[in-house]
Amino acid sequence: MADVVTQRAHYSPPWADVSIIGIAGSSGSGKSTLSHAIVSKLNLPWVVILSMDSFYKSLDEESSRKAFRNEYDFDSPDAIDFDVLVDRLRELKAGKRAEIPIYSFAKHAREKETTSIYSPHVLILEGIFALYDPRVLELLDMKIFCEADADTCLSRRILRDVEERGRDIKGCIKQWFAYVKPNFEAYVEPQRKVADIIVPRGVENRVAIGKTSLSSHTFQLTYGKVMVIQYIERKLIEKSK
Ligand code: C5P
Ligand code: MG
């Protein structure tokens, strides 16, 4: 009986020690695609992607009208509800379930419903400001910056916003030059400095997301050849020791 009690006291479920990977980068740089590539290549049962899109603040009526005219700045850190994000991350880190808001890009608003996330083995937090808030940085185990040329980002964004987010081309371009581009330079790009690794050309980078077996000698976090999967696996092993 005493044994059972001792075992229980020492039992630590995997979800009580979630590892959080932050992936930042420009809009259209391939953060979501890179996150999905990581999920499919990591040999782990429970890897969840949490998009920072879920944490856009609700808008009052006037701001909402501006948003529909592509005149609202969604690329300033002020647009994100970091307090709620930090609370949810802390809940997940503590092994608890977290209620995540659902965001509609077409409506520029939060839906009434939320969705639940149970604390996974690995949580991927992806968003333009994933490496921005010091409270979030403290909770991250790994920090990745996803990079792509600005013309690649803009063209990807136009196609996606028109196909999936209910936007028109003129509006996309207006928003890009008024807010997305200047704020990338002011707030998003500086996050490169706190990243552990930088993935050039995002998900098109077959070397970075490949799973080629390399010796530790060749496992270098160089600018040109980043082995994302190896990096994550290595970090997870180190952590479990
Ligand atoms: O997926 P991605 O990283 O591109 O999402 C972030 C982008 O979403 C931001 O650059 C912001 O301009 C845009 N956004 C928007 N409309 C909203 C909320 C965010 O266009 N209502
Ligand atoms: Mg995205």
Side-chain angles (χ1 to χ4, degrees):
M1 185 63 191
D3 268 0
V4 174
V5 173
T6 322
Q7 272 172 21
R8 271 201 197 127
H10 289 277
Y11 177 68
S12 164
W15 52 89
D17 190 23
V18 56
S19 295
I20 311 182
I21 306 172
I23 304 185
S26 166
S27 172
S29 62
K31 301 179 296 293
S32 317
T33 321
L34 178 64
S35 304
H36 282 98
I38 292 172
V39 173
S40 71
K41 295 201 182 215
L42 265 189
N43 200 13
L44 281 171
W46 206 348
V47 185
V48 167
I49 299 172
L50 178 58
S51 172
M52 285 184 70
D53 302 345
S54 306
F55 299 93
Y56 273 106
K57 288 177 186 163
S58 305
L59 302 180
D60 60 26
E61 268 184 40
E62 199 202 323
S63 304
S64 177
R65 277 196 292 274
K66 277 190 178 172
F68 281 100
R69 295 196 303 262
N70 304 94
E71 288 169 6
Y72 187 82
D73 186 357
F74 287 106
D75 289 82
S76 150
D78 291 343
I80 304 277
D81 201 336
F82 280 105
D83 291 345
V84 175
L85 170 66
V86 169
D87 282 354
R88 297 302 169 267
L89 289 179
R90 285 185 181 150
E91 283 165 7
L92 292 167
K93 200 83 179 172
K96 294 182 189 153
R97 191 185 78 174
E99 289 302 315
I100 308 296
I102 300 175
Y103 190 73
S104 163
F105 282 97
K107 298 182 199 159
H108 298 290
R110 274 187 196 164
E111 301 283 10
K112 282 195 198 82
E113 304 81 27
T114 56
T115 186
S116 304
I117 291 190
Y118 293 84
S119 190
H121 287 116
V122 175
L123 182 77
I124 302 174
L125 174 72
E126 69 88 7
I128 54 172
F129 293 123
L131 306 181
Y132 186 82
D133 188 294
R135 295 166 297 172
V136 174
L137 285 174
E138 212 165 274
L139 293 165
L140 297 179
D141 297 276
M142 292 163 249
K143 305 179 195 92
I144 298 176
F145 190 86
C146 189
E147 208 161 59
D149 292 340
D151 50 359
T152 308
C153 295
L154 174 58
S155 28
R156 279 216 201 107
R157 175 163 167 137
I158 292 173
L159 291 175
R160 180 206 55 200
D161 282 7
V162 171
E163 280 167 17
E164 297 167 22
R165 295 188 178 176
R167 310 293 168 86
D168 60 69
I169 295 176
K170 261 193 183 168
C172 286
I173 294 173
K174 176 175 164 185
Q175 197 181 338
W176 179 270
F177 288 103
Y179 307 111
V180 187
K181 189 177 178 200
N183 283 334
F184 170 78
E185 284 159 12
Y187 305 111
V188 181
E189 211 261 344
Q191 294 172 106
R192 286 173 97 252
K193 291 198 193 82
V194 295
D196 301 323
I197 58 173
I198 292 160
V199 181
R201 290 173 289 116
V203 82
E204 285 153 26
N205 191 330
R206 302 269 168 241
V207 176
I209 58 163
K211 211 182 164 181
T212 5
S213 172
L214 291 175
S215 67
S216 57
H217 175 65
T218 46
F219 182 77
Q220 296 169 1
L221 303 182
T222 58
Y223 180 76
K225 292 186 177 172
V226 184
M227 308 294 156
V228 177
I229 303 300
Q230 284 200 340
Y231 157 73
I232 295 170
E233 285 177 346
R234 207 161 270 246
K235 282 282 217 181
L236 291 172
I237 291 167
E238 267 169 28
K239 207 180 154 190
S240 68
K241 274 180 191 161

